[in-house]
Every structure is written in structure tokens, then in C-alpha cells.
Amino acid sequence: MYKRTIVGIKLGVGAISLLSFGIHHLFVRANPQPSWFEDTVGTYQSEIWNDDSMVPGTTTFTQTADGDIEGSYTIEEADSLVSGTLSDCRHTASYTISCAWEDIYGVGTVTVAFSEDFSGFTGRWRLDDSSVAYQWNGVSGVE
């Protein structure tokens, strides 16, 4: 069995792997979300490019018990209301997050940049298999 000495202690391969995992986990958890991240939580009246025009909808961002951001959205079509989910939201720049979206039409990514007071956002969405991006904007104050 391979053993390595760390600070005078002999460790087997399993112990080294466990130690490496613990150190990695410590550094990953030590990188918290930015202080503004929770300010994204809320409901926004949205306009989302759908088919060939901007259509009304609602976008809601929520915070999980772990501090992650996720959400949901609706798009008002002529004869129906389409619902979708937002997941795996990550901050990509100051006041900007990127999330995975999913609804009956497919899956993709949306990136939104919030105003500094979180009164709204401007964004772009795209399908996973496309580089073409479309508008997704929102204004807060929706009950």
C-alpha cells in the first residue's frame, strides 16, 4: 500500500483522498455568493422575446435554504400561459446572474443584469444548441 508522510503522519491512499476532498470542499464553501446575490429575489413583470415579438410574462427569483438562487417564469401566449423553471443560477459579474431555463419549448441559458437598486433587469436568453440570443427584460413591483 502506498503511504505518504504529511507533517510527520503516515497516511494511506484513502486517507489522502479524504483529506484532499475535505480541503477542496472547504475552499469551495469558503467562496460565498456576493452580498447583492440575495437582492435578486423577487417577482418581475417581464417582456420576453417569443417567436417574433416581445410578449408579457412574469419572472420570479427565489432563494433556497442553501443560499442558491432559482426561479420560475411565465410567458403569455395568445391562447395559453407557458410556465418554465430557472435553475443553477450563478453570478457572472457585478449585479449579473446566469441561469439555466427549461420549458415546453426547450432548454437554454438566460443571463440578466440587474439595476443597482434591483428595480429591474435586462437580459438575453438562448437555446442550448444556438448562439443566437433574444431579449428577456423585467421590472420589479409585481405582487
Side-chain angles (χ1 to χ4, degrees), residues 16-31:
I16 291 172
S17 295
L18 185 59
L19 180 62
S20 296
F21 172 79
I23 290 171
H24 172 74
H25 186 68
L26 175 66
F27 284 112
V28 169
R29 298 305 284 175
N31 185 18

Side-chain angles (χ1 to χ4, degrees), residues 87-115:
S87 60
D88 196 30
C89 298
R90 305 280 181 230
H91 69 279
T92 57
S94 187
Y95 301 107
T96 303
I97 63 173
S98 183
C99 304
W101 63 264
E102 182 175 359
D103 60 32
I104 61 171
Y105 297 118
V107 295
T109 304
V110 60
T111 300
V112 299
F114 291 91
S115 59

Side-chain angles (χ1 to χ4, degrees), residues 27-49:
F27 284 112
V28 169
R29 298 305 284 175
N31 185 18
Q33 301 293 359
S35 60
W36 57 263
F37 201 58
E38 66 186 36
D39 294 331
T40 62
V41 171
T43 300
Y44 298 81
Q45 184 63 49
S46 304
E47 287 191 320
I48 303 168
W49 185 264

